[in-house]
Amino acid sequence: QVQLVESGGGVVQPGKSLRLSCAASGFTFSGFGMHWVRQAPGKGLEWVAVIWHDGSRKYYIDSVKGRFTVSRDISKNTVYLQMSDLRVEDTAVYYCARDLMERSVDKWGPGTLVIVSS
Amino acid sequence: EIVLTQSPATLSLSPGERATLSCRASQSVSTSLAWYQQKPGQAPRLVIYDASKRATGIPPRFSGSGSGTDFTLTISSLEPEDFAVYYCQQRSNWPFLLTFGPGTTVDIK
């Protein structure tokens, strides 16, 4: 069955960097785009970024452009979110999710918590 | 940028009752609208995509309807496991962007 497992979260100071990973299994990873979606404590869902199935396109929400970079390693069935210049407002649970027809997401990982605090 | 609004913010119902959740887009999104269910401490789960198609494993008591700017998620008879927060979501074409609504909480009356 489809499985997505995020890792790499933790507590980090403002201005520092962190890299999240999402290991995928149970499906043909190279055939699907992958998204990152975050949820601040007690808040709603916010889409962060997407990478196309072949890595040819990447899109980001405005608030993370220039600070976050999404990438993928087909050989490891893993998608990454490199986050730099982290801000307090980046504190959230970060979910990776599998793309569904470039219109929604159909599978989600359990999430990894990122806390940005001094 | 397309904005989604959901109503009501909270819906208090009893098991067995019908739930009707609304999602309105600030401009037409055709049928590119999805609904997700999220329970406390869990990741969201896709319920409906393309406005009216049930995702894999979703029971038939869940149905979606609408097109353009007005959409509805209906749960015909609430089961105890259906009490959760429901988010609608749409995709903008340029720039590419997925946007979620603020959510509707369905809680036990």
Side-chain angles (χ1 to χ4, degrees):
Chain A
Q1 71 280 21
V2 174
Q3 194 167 12
L4 300 170
V5 180
E6 304 91 342
S7 60
V11 181
V12 62
Q13 293 179 328
K16 300 296 188 180
S17 299
L18 204 61
R19 188 178 82 159
L20 305 183
S21 301
C22 171
S25 60
F27 65 100
T28 305
F29 181 68
S30 60
F32 289 85
M34 297 296 296
H35 298 256
W36 288 95
V37 178
R38 66 185 180 184
Q39 187 169 36
K43 302 298 184 182
L45 301 169
E46 180 179 52
W47 175 82
V48 175
V50 63
I51 182 167
W52 248 230
H53 70 283
D54 58 359
S56 61
R57 299 185 195 179
K58 305 174 186 179
Y59 298 101
Y60 304 88
I61 194 172
D62 282 350
S63 59
V64 309
K65 283 180 183 176
R67 300 189 299 121
F68 289 14
T69 302
V70 61
S71 61
R72 63 193 298 159
D73 185 333
I74 302 287
S75 68
K76 295 182 179 179
N77 280 9
T78 299
V79 61
Y80 303 98
L81 186 67
Q82 178 69 47
M83 306 185 294
S84 61
D85 189 22
L86 282 161
R87 305 169 181 171
V88 170
E89 54 265 35
D90 295 320
T91 294
V93 174
Y94 284 74
Y95 298 101
C96 73
R98 188 177 76 169
D99 180 76
L100 177 63
M101 297 184 290
E102 300 175 10
R103 295 195 288 275
S104 56
V105 294
D106 67 343
K107 299 295 181 184
W108 299 68
T112 187
L113 176 60
V114 173
I115 298 174
V116 184
S117 173
S118 55
Chain B
E1 179 182 329
I2 298 175
V3 176
L4 297 177
T5 56
Q6 292 187 243
S7 61
T10 303
L11 196 52
S12 297
L13 295 169
S14 300
E17 289 193 295
R18 183 183 187 90
T20 303
L21 287 67
S22 175
C23 178
R24 177 164 290 178
S26 58
Q27 56 185 279
S28 177
V29 298
S30 184
T31 56
S32 294
L33 190 105
W35 291 92
Y36 301 85
Q37 175 194 71
Q38 187 179 33
K39 298 177 183 178
Q42 296 185 18
R45 178 173 73 148
L46 179 66
V47 177
I48 297 287
Y49 67 97
D50 288 353
S52 62
K53 299 175 182 176
R54 270 191 306 276
T56 304
I58 299 301
R61 64 180 180 271
F62 289 87
S63 63
S65 64
S67 65
T69 60
D70 291 300
F71 300 86
T72 300
L73 174 68
T74 301
I75 311 171
S76 60
S77 178
L78 283 163
E79 296 288 338
E81 62 268 28
D82 299 337
F83 292 93
V85 180
Y86 291 84
Y87 296 93
C88 59
Q89 169 260 310
Q90 67 85 30
R91 174 229 156 126
S92 298
N93 288 330
W94 189 256
F96 182 101
L97 180 67
L98 298 189
T99 306
F100 292 89
T104 290
T105 300
V106 179
D107 65 14
I108 300 177
K109 187 174 181 181

